[in-house]
């Protein structure tokens, strides 16, 4: 597990504890690390078919960042959770078919690591979307 993944897990735990500021800080680090990693990989190999996986990982970091920010800034929680939902919906709509195609390609080429990562990311994206929508609905009921 990468350092960013560990920070993401710690952030989720902090979010569950209600420590939105700590979660926000961790998610910000994750997002920035993933963004930097994506930019570096694009510079090194702009034609890599796995760049979309890194882009989706970065977007996941951004969605978690918005969720924590919504908890931290209660006055703007509906707006921030709406941004989180919109971001993950856009990612699923734009990158979902590409990642599905990559998974199929990796399966045909027998590249199990890429195939498994792609399928796992697709499932995580759906879970993240469901979570963000539930949080938005809960915030609307409260607000």
């Amino acid at each position: 597990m990468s350092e960013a993944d560990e920070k993401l897990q710690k952030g989720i735990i902090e979010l569950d504890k209600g420590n939105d500021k700590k979660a926000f800080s961790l998610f910000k680090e994750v997002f920035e690390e993933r963004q930097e990693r994506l930019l570096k990989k694009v510079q090194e190999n702009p034609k890599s078919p796995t760049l979309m996986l890194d882009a989706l990982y970065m977007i996941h970091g951004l969605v978690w960042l918005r969720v924590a920010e919504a908890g931290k800034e209660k006055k703007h929680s509906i707006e921030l959770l709406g941004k989180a939902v919109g971001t993950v919906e856009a990612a699923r709509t734009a990158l979902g078919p590409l990642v599905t195609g990559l998974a199929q390609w990796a399966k045909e080429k027998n590249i199990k690591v890429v195939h498994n990562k792609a399928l796992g990311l697709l499932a995580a994206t759906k879970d993240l979307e469901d979570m963000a929508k539930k949080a938005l609905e809960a915030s609307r009921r409260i607000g």
Side-chain angles (χ1 to χ4, degrees):
M1 181 181 298
S2 73
E3 187 178 321
D5 292 338
E6 287 178 19
K7 284 180 186 176
L8 186 70
Q9 281 189 337
K10 286 179 185 177
I12 292 168
I13 290 167
E14 292 298 327
L15 203 60
D16 284 342
K17 290 179 183 177
N19 192 350
D20 298 315
K21 287 181 183 179
K22 179 68 176 174
F24 178 82
S25 175
L26 289 164
F27 292 145
K28 185 174 182 191
E29 288 179 35
V30 168
F31 172 71
E32 289 171 351
E33 287 172 18
R34 287 180 173 178
Q35 185 178 35
E36 188 177 304
R37 180 178 177 207
L38 175 62
L39 293 173
K40 183 179 176 189
K41 285 181 84 173
V42 168
Q43 290 172 348
E44 290 172 357
N45 188 0
K47 295 181 182 179
S48 173
T50 60
L51 287 174
M52 65 190 88
L53 298 179
D54 292 302
L56 200 49
Y57 277 123
M58 184 191 72
I59 291 168
H60 282 203
L62 178 59
V63 171
W64 281 110
L65 181 64
R66 292 292 172 246
V67 169
E69 188 176 17
K72 197 175 83 153
E73 298 185 25
K74 304 288 187 213
K75 285 185 176 181
H76 303 286
S77 66
I78 292 174
E79 176 188 344
L80 292 165
L81 288 169
K83 285 182 180 182
V85 169
T87 299
V88 75
E89 284 177 342
R92 183 184 42 79
T93 302
L95 291 175
L98 297 172
V99 173
T100 301
L102 178 63
Q104 183 60 39
W105 172 82
K107 183 178 180 181
E108 291 168 5
K109 299 290 183 183
N110 202 26
I111 306 172
K112 291 182 191 245
V113 172
V114 172
H115 179 255
N116 292 339
K117 276 188 180 183
L119 292 180
L121 256 175
L122 289 170
T125 301
K126 178 67 176 126
D127 291 346
L128 189 56
E129 182 179 13
D130 292 344
M131 180 276 307
K133 285 180 176 178
K134 286 177 185 172
L136 177 59
E137 276 305 308
S139 184
R140 283 183 177 152
R141 276 185 250 129
I142 293 169

